[in-house]
Amino acid sequence: MLWVGAANRLDFAAGVVLDGGDDRVNGRNGAGACRLGRWVNAAALAALTLAGAQALAADIEWPPREGGAGAVVVPESMAQIQLSFSPLVELATPAVVNIYTSVRVGGAADGEPSTRLRDDPFFGGFFGSEDSEPAEEEPLSLGSGVIVSPDGIVVTNDHVVDGADTIVVALSDRREFVAELLGTDPSTDLAVLRIRVPGGPLTYLELGDSDRAKVGDIVLAIGNPFGVGQTVTSGIISALARTDIGISDYAFFIQTDASINPGNSGGALIAMDGRLIGINSEIITTSSGGSHGIGLAIPVNMVRSVVGALIAEGIVARPWLGVTTEDVTSAMASAVGLARPFGALVTGVAPDSPAALAGLQVGDVLMSIDGNELENGEALRFRIGTHKADDKVDLVAMRDGTVVQLSAVLALPPSVTEVAEGTPLDGQHPLAGAVVVTLTEALMNEYDLGHMRGGALVTGVQPGSPAARIGLHEGDVVVGINGREVQSVDILLRNVAEPQPEWQIAFVRDGKLLTVGIHG
């Protein structure tokens, strides 16, 4: 197994053979040597790459230029031996924080319900009197976060702070501060906090450009795995634009083999220039829950967009292009004149949408946006999501074997204006706490629902509400209640007007019809 990573110390008992015909390298074990123009041992490869990417504290030349083919080069100083990530780590780690969250529970006795359930008008009557013991704090989760501005703005994952009553941020010097939650964006699994720290500006990480990241780049992951404390691991970028995995709606992950474990969520993925290029978010693992070399990070270009929106507005109102798409298969690529399968095949264009005004047509294959190649429809969704309404985007498409270039001015999606007119549901029924609007053709297009007979689109769900507890999400479409078809909000309201001994709620999610049953 070839290990490529950081080496705190490189000990060469007999030196390293450079440009030699003999492939034997000191410390070589089976296939543990690789050839990149020269045979080097695996630990030296990472250190040499670091040396080329980052100026070292000592003024040294590494590797030395002396010697020809087959020459044995021996390090001549401790500076040449102790190639290390430590200068970069020392700069970056003060900007990475540990996050601890807790939830209030309604009494000292085990099993006592959350105060949020106790205070809920639907369930509150089931949980005893107001004379119960005072609420206590119970640990909920732990994770990591990144300080991205000197005034205490912290980015983390939404799933790290979801449901928390109290969020505590611990700095690298072990000082702890209660954080203010500025906003969350579950669609990208991001959340923004603020801490107020006396004594001047905080160390923070500058945001890099994730579009410049390349497969094979060395990266460091910094976080708080398993709650053991701040930990640094190294690896490479294993893949880019992973769109078919993950828990967020805007899946476009950077994949890395740097060790990431539970507790690393919300931590930093940094490049060799010390800039943040991603927020570590997920791992692919077996039932053991440990790291298996596949970690996923949210690209910093999406982070930048979300942080700006949450600080300015408290919400993220993403723009809308107005197309539905399918991924291009090999057969499609051949039919439309592409040399290989990539891009997003346009299967629908909403009337009066930015796409329609730009001249996009059904059957076009979108190949790039703003010069960024599109692997598939998810990549298009991600690229649009990093913009704001009224931004102009340049599109390149294949149409009938001819490349066409178009420009579109993005707009707010239909749901933004219709949510303002949406209907909040209340009362004694399982849908209480949801906000719904009647499904329209434009909304079908925005949420990529295809053609439906109608329904009540869920545009928001109040945390802790009955609708949230039955698992209803934004984007779900309620299509039936107790066997009766729901084609509009008016029909839905008539069907929940009277209490029922039992409820059967049917809704569509990701093209699948789901049913939830609950006693009344």
Side-chain angles (χ1 to χ4, degrees):
M1 177 178 177
L2 174 62
W3 178 83
V4 180
N8 289 328
R9 181 180 177 88
L10 304 181
D11 291 312
F12 292 82
V16 177
V17 180
L18 301 180
D19 293 330
D22 190 337
D23 66 356
R24 292 171 295 175
V25 179
N26 182 48
R28 181 175 184 267
N29 180 13
C34 63
R35 186 162 187 164
L36 297 176
R38 296 172 174 173
W39 288 103
V40 297
N41 77 8
L45 174 60
L48 291 172
T49 306
L50 173 62
Q54 177 187 1
L56 299 176
D59 184 15
I60 61 174
E61 182 181 57
W62 183 256
R65 297 180 181 178
E66 298 88 0
V72 176
V73 180
V74 178
E76 298 177 354
S77 67
M78 288 298 295
Q80 291 178 348
I81 293 173
Q82 292 179 329
L83 298 176
S84 172
F85 290 121
S86 61
L88 181 59
V89 171
E90 289 174 3
L91 291 174
T93 50
V96 181
V97 301
N98 298 340
I99 294 178
Y100 304 92
T101 66
S102 58
V103 62
R104 289 190 299 273
V105 293
D110 290 342
E112 204 50 44
S114 162
T115 56
R116 286 174 293 174
L117 290 180
R118 182 183 299 278
D119 296 338
D120 187 281
F122 185 65
F123 289 102
F126 296 100
F127 297 128
S129 69
E130 296 182 357
D131 297 328
S132 302
E133 296 184 27
E136 296 182 352
E137 295 286 335
E138 182 176 283
L140 181 64
S141 67
L142 59 85
S144 306
V146 183
I147 302 173
V148 295
S149 73
D151 58 348
I153 299 298
V154 178
V155 179
T156 186
N157 284 139
D158 173 63
H159 74 258
V160 170
V161 300
D162 183 35
D165 291 315
T166 302
I167 304 169
V168 175
V169 170
L171 303 183
S172 61
D173 61 9
R174 301 174 64 182
R175 288 182 296 166
E176 296 184 356
F177 301 90
V178 175
E180 173 190 3
L181 180 63
L182 296 184
T184 65
D185 183 38
S187 293
T188 55
D189 191 27
L190 290 171
V192 178
L193 316 174
R194 184 195 294 276
I195 55 173
R196 301 189 183 277
V197 180
L202 293 171
T203 300
Y204 67 100
L205 287 182
E206 293 184 7
L207 305 187
D209 182 357
S210 49
D211 286 340
R212 299 182 64 181
K214 304 293 183 183
V215 174
D217 286 353
I218 293 178
V219 289
L220 300 183
I222 309 176
N224 180 25
F226 297 109
V228 301
Q230 192 172 84
T231 301
V232 181
T233 56
S234 68
I236 63 169
I237 293 177
S238 307
L240 295 168
R242 289 297 196 207
T243 59
D244 54 352
I245 48 181
I247 61 175
S248 66
D249 295 336
Y250 287 81
F252 195 80
F253 293 105
I254 298 171
Q255 180 184 326
T256 177
D257 66 350
S259 292
I260 295 174
N261 287 289
N264 273 108
S265 292
L269 189 71
I270 64 173
M272 288 297 98
D273 61 2
R275 290 183 171 88
L276 184 74
I277 61 166
I279 295 293
N280 298 321
S281 180
E282 303 176 42
I283 59 174
I284 297 179
T285 183
T286 61
S287 57
S288 68
S291 174
H292 291 276
I294 302 180
L296 304 174
I298 302 166
V300 75
N301 287 358
M302 177 60 83
V303 175
R304 180 183 287 105
S305 174
V306 170
V307 171
L310 289 178
I311 290 175
E313 306 292 340
I315 60 171
V316 180
R318 289 187 175 81
W320 181 58
L321 182 60
V323 295
T324 54
T325 64
E326 290 182 6
D327 294 347
V328 175
T329 64
S330 295
M332 290 180 188
S334 178
V336 300
L338 293 175
R340 57 184 177 85
F342 75 102
L345 175 67
V346 177
T347 58
V349 179
D352 300 321
S353 65
L357 297 176
L360 271 175
Q361 301 175 10
V362 172
D364 290 349
V365 175
L366 281 168
M367 299 189 296
S368 74
I369 177 170
D370 293 331
N372 297 299
E373 183 178 285
L374 300 174
E375 281 291 316
N376 49 33
E378 283 298 322
L380 172 65
R381 178 178 171 86
F382 173 86
R383 294 295 178 186
I384 295 296
T386 61
H387 283 277
K388 302 185 297 293
D390 298 326
D391 281 357
K392 178 183 175 182
V393 295
D394 294 322
L395 307 170
V396 177
M398 179 71 76
R399 176 182 298 165
D400 298 328
T402 302
V403 174
V404 294
Q405 297 185 356
L406 306 168
S407 293
V409 178
L410 302 177
L412 289 175
S415 63
V416 171
T417 54
E418 295 188 27
V419 162
E421 303 170 357
T423 302
L425 301 179
D426 55 19
Q428 301 295 309
H429 57 81
L431 297 178
V435 179
V436 294
V437 296
T438 297
L439 190 63
T440 63
E441 183 178 351
L443 288 170
M444 292 180 201
N445 180 280
E446 180 191 342
Y447 285 89
D448 201 13
L449 297 171
H451 181 71
M452 297 181 63
R453 289 164 52 90
L457 175 70
V458 178
T459 58
V461 178
Q462 181 181 355
S465 66
R469 288 192 287 276
I470 68 170
L472 213 60
H473 295 169
E474 178 185 352
D476 292 344
V477 181
V478 179
V479 294
I481 297 176
N482 290 346
R484 300 184 181 92
E485 186 176 9
V486 172
Q487 293 184 335
S488 67
V489 171
D490 289 341
I491 296 174
L492 183 151
L493 291 173
R494 288 199 296 269
N495 281 287
V496 299
E498 298 294 332
Q500 301 293 327
E502 291 188 356
W503 295 92
Q504 292 288 331
I505 309 297
F507 58 93
V508 174
R509 176 183 296 166
D510 296 330
K512 297 179 181 179
L513 180 64
L514 306 175
T515 303
V516 173
I518 188 172
H519 293 292

